[in-house]
Each structure stands twice: as C-alpha cells, then as structure tokens.
C-alpha cells in the first residue's frame, strides 16, 4: 500500500445516448452500423456541441466519436451522389453511391479535431488553465456489426473469432489514424473499449506492441464489459482471467497497457468487479509499486437494458420492482473513494457510459470535489 494521494481524472459520458436524448433527439439510421459515428457525416456540429457540453460539465478527457467507426462500416454506408460535397463516391452492386475507402479514413480522422476543438472553445470554469485530453475511442469488433454484438461476444464470420482475424482488423483500423501525423499527434490516449472476448484482449495487446515498437509509447487502455449476472465476460471469461491477459507479457504481447478498466457495465456490479481486478493484479504484479491506472465508466441506465435488436432501452422488471435507485453520481463516488483508499493504482480515470449525460458528469465532479478524503485529489490536465 502506498501512502500518497492518487490523482482522479474525469472522463466524459455516453456520447451516443446523449445525442439520442433531449435536446438533441437524434435518430440514428437503422441501415448502418455507425450509430453515433454517423454524425461525422450528417452533423459534425452536433457532435461538437455534445463534446463541449461534457467539457463544460467538467470532463478532463473526451472520447472521440469513433466508437463504432470502421472502414467497413463507412464503405457500406450509402450517400446520395447529389450531396457528395466533392468526395469520392463508389458504386455498389446495385448502383448505390457508397463511401470510398479513402473517404472512410478521412471521416474517421475528422473525429479527432472535433474533440480537440471542444476544449479550446469552452470556458473551463473548474480549471481555466487545463488544456484537456483526447482519447481515441475504438470499440470492440462486435460494436461495428449490425446488430452490434459487443454485449454477446457472438462474432461473425468465423475468421473474426480467431486471434489472427481480430489482430488484423484492429491493426488496420488503428493504422487509419496513425498514418496521418497530424491526427496521431492530436491523440493523447487510445481507448479499446467494451471488449467482450478474451481473444480480443490478446489481439489488442499485439496491435499496440507493434505500433509502439518504433514510436514513443502513447498511453492506452483496455476496458471490458461484464453484462452477465456471474460477473464474467460474454465469452464466459472471469475477471481474473481478463486481468491476467491484460498484464501478462510475451514476445507478441510485449507491452502492458497504461490502464485497465471496466465500462458499459451495470454500476451495481462495479465495486465487486474492481475488487476482483485488484486480487488478480496482485497475483500478477505484486505490490512493490503502484499498478497502472484504473479506468472505469459504468452505464447510467438505472435498471434499463439496451436491446440490440430493437435499438431501444427496456426497463428490467426486477430492477423496476426495487423502486428508486441511489443516484448514479453518488454511488460512483463511493466506489471511486473506496478504490482510492486501497491505494493500489497510480490513478483513477472515471466517467460514464450509456445513458450518462453532461449533467451526470457535472454531478459526479461536484460530489468528488466535496468528498473529504486523504486518498485522492481531482487532477485536471
């Protein structure tokens, strides 16, 4: 155990679900797997407004609007030729206009300056000297399928259930950002999030080992999703197996992540999952020095569950019967404080996932700021 206070930083909240909620009331197309990334095509200004709202609320780190973005997703998305804006349009087998691979890459890269500009165009009253950081959001492979399968881990085709298939796919997507120097330099963190299968954890580590061999290491984290009642990944892997996979080192997986985490998971499970992470980390790393950062951004669904088939949030009858829930920001503050007081981690990056709004982050920051603790301090970049 280490005696000094650890830093706590604020991540933003659920970008897609905020766009779907008032006052934005977005309706994402059902014939594309892009979800909120579709706003890179239709309304980059809308994305910017939500980014700025999260910064106004106190977020130190913004995730880019690329969670479900992929080359395959954009090149399968139709665009009327009459409004192509001078961009390349190819024709599919039915003669419909679709985005070219070059345009797909350009659209994906455009998300990075949108997030960066949110800091420069916002009055950061909680820390006027803070520049803010941008994290490249890279969802699991399943997040780019239609319907999405990051909550089930049911990957298709069969090649994408293999380590090699997942490695190749993640490497190609990351390279789309890294091959442009300006884009890459504007990224402060890389976030591989909502990972549902252990095989994908290994694939991501291989990708980062390759990309960090020649370049300075860019901080990156892996965050997994635990939708099952037994607190396992969708593929059945335990939290202990996840942490071991994240931290073990081999020739192909030669680097440990800057941070490990849990996201898009019911907040009721979070405290016990963190304890399981800590027990596993102690076995792998010991306690001779602080562990990497803990990254946690649970959902704010308060008992509702996302139906990937209908695209709707549906209330769990059992949760509804339990009555009013503890406010999300209060429950999360308690969890973060307890984790900080155990003093295992170098720091904690905390925010929200689905159904958390700028108000959620504002309330979380205020609650953390009012918490009297000798275990952590709020840090702004």
């Amino acid at each position: 155990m280490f005696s000094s206070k650890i830093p706590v930083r604020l991540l933003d909240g659920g970008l897609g679900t905020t766009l779907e909620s008032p006052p934005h009331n977005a309706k994402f197309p059902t014939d594309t797997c892009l979800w909120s990334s579709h706003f890179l095509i239709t309304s980059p200004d809308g994305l910017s407004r939500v980014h700025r709202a999260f910064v106004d609320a106190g977020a130190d780190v913004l995730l880019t609007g690329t969670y479900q973005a992929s080359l395959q997703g954009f090149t399968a998305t139709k665009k009327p030729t009459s409004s192509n804006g001078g961009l390349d349009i190819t024709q599919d087998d039915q003669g419909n206009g679709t985005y070219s691979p070059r345009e797909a890459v350009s659209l994906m890269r455009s998300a990075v300056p949108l997030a960066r500009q949110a800091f420069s165009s916002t009055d950061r009253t909680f820390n006027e000297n803070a520049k803010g950081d941008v994290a490249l959001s890279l969802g699991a492979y399943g997040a780019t399928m239609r319907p999405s399968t990051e909550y089930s881990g049911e990957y298709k085709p069969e090649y994408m259930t293999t380590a090699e298939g997942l490695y190749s796919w993640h490497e190609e997507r990351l390279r789309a950002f890294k091959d442009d120097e300006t884009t890459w330099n504007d990224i402060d963190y890389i976030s591989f999030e909502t990972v549902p299968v252990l095989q994908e954890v290994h694939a991501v580590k291989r990708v980062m080992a390759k990309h960090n061999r020649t370049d300075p290491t860019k901080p990156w984290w892996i965050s997994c999703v635990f939708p099952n009642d037994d607190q396992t990944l969708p593929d059945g892997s335990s939290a202990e197996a996840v942490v071991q996979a994240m931290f073990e080192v081999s020739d192909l997986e030669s680097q440990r992540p800057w941070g490990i985490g849990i996201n898009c998971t019911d907040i009721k499970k979070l405290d016990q999952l963190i304890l399981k992470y800590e027990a596993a980390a102690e076995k792998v790393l010991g306690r001779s020095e602080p562990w990497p950062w803990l990254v946690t951004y649970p959902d704010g669904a308060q008992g509702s569950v996302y139906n990937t088939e209908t695209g709707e949030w549906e209330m769990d009858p059992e949760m509804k019967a339990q009555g009013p829930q503890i406010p999300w920001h209060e429950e999360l503050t308690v969890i973060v404080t307890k984790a900080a007081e155990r003093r295992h981690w170098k720091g904690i990056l905390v925010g929200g996932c689905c159904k958390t709004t700028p108000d959620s982050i504002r309330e979380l920051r205020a609650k953390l700021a009012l918490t009297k603790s000798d275990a952590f301090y709020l840090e702004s970049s």
Side-chain angles (χ1 to χ4, degrees), residues 35-301:
W35 198 40
S36 56
S37 297
H38 200 266
F39 263 46
L40 294 170
I41 300 171
T42 60
S43 183
D45 288 344
L47 276 179
S48 292
R49 285 193 294 273
V50 174
H51 283 323
R52 288 196 298 270
F54 278 116
V55 173
D56 282 340
D60 302 305
V61 181
L62 288 178
L63 287 158
T64 57
T66 50
Y67 172 71
Q68 286 180 304
S70 68
L71 294 170
Q72 297 82 358
F74 276 107
T75 55
T77 298
K78 299 174 185 177
K79 183 173 191 272
T81 305
S82 60
S83 60
N84 66 29
L87 298 171
D88 290 347
I89 300 294
T90 59
Q91 301 294 315
D92 64 18
D93 293 339
Q94 287 74 42
N96 298 312
T98 57
Y99 292 96
S100 69
R102 185 174 70 85
E103 185 178 9
V105 169
S106 179
L107 285 165
M108 291 165 64
R109 291 173 180 169
S110 71
V112 177
L114 283 178
R116 174 65 66 200
Q117 291 160 12
F119 289 107
S120 61
S121 62
T122 306
D123 293 328
R124 305 192 73 197
T125 55
F126 59 92
N127 188 343
E128 62 183 12
N129 296 317
K131 72 175 181 67
D133 287 326
V134 171
L136 177 63
S137 172
L138 300 175
Y141 168 71
T144 68
M145 297 178 67
R146 184 165 63 91
S148 61
T149 60
E150 72 267 46
Y151 304 110
S152 68
E154 297 175 358
Y155 285 6
K156 296 178 181 179
E158 186 175 350
Y159 177 62
M160 294 307 299
T161 66
T162 68
E164 196 59 39
L166 289 167
Y167 167 78
S168 298
W169 186 85
H170 277 284
E171 198 280 330
E172 179 186 49
R173 182 176 58 171
L174 185 62
R175 191 161 18 92
F177 296 94
K178 189 177 181 182
D179 283 351
D180 181 72
E181 184 177 1
T182 300
T183 300
W184 191 246
N185 289 340
D186 221 12
I187 295 168
D188 300 298
Y189 299 95
I190 302 169
S191 167
F192 297 94
E193 45 189 354
T194 328
V195 176
V197 296
L198 201 63
Q199 194 81 277
E200 199 161 10
V201 172
H202 289 293
V204 164
K205 287 181 64 190
R206 282 183 60 192
V207 169
M208 290 309 299
K210 173 184 177 180
H211 281 273
N212 283 333
R213 279 195 191 109
T214 56
D215 295 343
T217 300
K218 196 178 288 288
W220 57 285
W221 73 76
I222 308 175
S223 183
C224 286
V225 60
F226 293 86
N228 296 338
D229 291 337
D230 61 358
Q231 299 184 351
T232 59
L233 293 189
D235 73 351
S237 299
S238 67
E240 292 80 3
V242 168
V243 172
Q244 183 176 352
M246 289 174 172
F247 283 151
E248 67 184 11
V249 175
S250 67
D251 290 341
L252 290 177
E253 302 171 25
S254 59
Q255 292 190 345
R256 288 174 173 149
W258 169 90
I260 66 171
I262 301 159
N263 79 291
C264 214
T265 295
D266 187 344
I267 195 170
K268 302 296 182 189
K269 303 175 184 177
L270 188 59
D271 192 40
Q272 287 300 310
L273 282 168
I274 291 175
L275 288 172
K276 289 182 177 182
Y277 265 42
E278 291 177 349
E282 183 175 358
K283 291 180 181 178
V284 179
L285 303 178
R287 290 192 180 182
S288 61
E289 59 184 47
W291 303 333
W293 279 62
L294 173 66
V295 185
T296 182
Y297 40 124
D299 66 42

Side-chain angles (χ1 to χ4, degrees), residues 317-356:
E318 292 185 8
M319 294 297 294
K320 186 176 182 180
Q322 293 177 14
Q325 305 292 307
I326 299 172
W328 178 86
H329 67 283
E330 293 184 7
E331 191 165 7
L332 188 51
T333 296
V334 171
I335 294 170
V336 168
T337 301
K338 289 164 63 177
E341 287 174 346
R342 292 191 291 270
R343 290 181 168 87
H344 297 314
W345 307 95
K346 287 183 179 178
I348 300 175
L349 179 62
V350 59
C353 203
C354 294
K355 305 296 280 187
T356 55

Side-chain angles (χ1 to χ4, degrees), residues 8-9 58 60 124 126-127 130-132 365 378-381:
V8 171
R9 304 193 67 206
D60 302 305
R124 305 192 73 197
F126 59 92
N127 188 343
K131 72 175 181 67
R365 187 173 194 96
L378 281 178
E379 177 187 86
S380 294
S381 61

